[in-house]
Amino acid sequence: FSPTETCYWIDVSVVFDSFSDETSWDVQRINDTGDNIVVKAHNGTDNDANTLRKESMCLEEGQYEFTIYDSYGDGLLTDADDDDDDDDNINVSGHYNVTSYGELIVEGAKFDHSEATSFYLPLPPAPSASP
């Protein structure tokens, strides 16, 4: 960014499930030409299991898409029925959210192989409460 450009902060927060190496995400800038540009990406590692990872980034005005991926296809949820009653191996579910200045853009946990959400920065102002 040049010193005269304005940017808008977003925060991506992911609480990884027990299988964090299956999870990744990216934020892409949507261009009119169709050549989307990856602005930021993160691939989960075994060290991310059951932990919160938060990434903050300042993006210029425009349209973006946040996509979260799960290579196994069960999102950030684990199925307690698949635990085989092995109490020593408890799988923990996770979740994610994307915000801008405290305003929620998207949140979730249940998806298959991927889930994408488009948004425009700056976010539209929140509706004012009626008296």
Side-chain angles (χ1 to χ4, degrees), residues 4 16 41 44 55 59 74 76 83 91 101 112:
T4 59
F16 288 90
E55 297 272 349
L59 306 174
D74 63 352
L76 292 171
D83 197 19
N91 297 325
Y101 300 98
D112 294 323

Side-chain angles (χ1 to χ4, degrees), residues 66-88:
F66 169 80
T67 307
I68 189 161
Y69 307 90
D70 184 85
S71 62
Y72 186 76
D74 63 352
L76 292 171
L77 298 179
T78 57
D79 187 350
D81 295 333
D82 290 341
D83 197 19
D84 294 331
D85 295 323
D86 181 2
D87 292 333
D88 294 334

Side-chain angles (χ1 to χ4, degrees), residues 87-127:
D87 292 333
D88 294 334
N89 187 19
I90 296 174
N91 297 325
V92 177
S93 294
H95 60 273
Y96 72 90
N97 68 53
V98 181
T99 60
S100 180
Y101 300 98
E103 293 293 321
L104 183 65
I105 296 171
V106 64
E107 65 182 350
K110 185 177 182 179
F111 58 95
D112 294 323
H113 289 282
S114 67
E115 183 169 74
T117 300
S118 295
F119 59 97
Y120 191 88
L121 291 176
L123 294 178

Side-chain angles (χ1 to χ4, degrees), residues 40-53:
K40 184 74 176 177
H42 180 81
N43 294 318
T45 66
D46 286 336
N47 294 334
D48 289 328
N50 308 320
T51 60
L52 167 66
R53 295 285 184 234

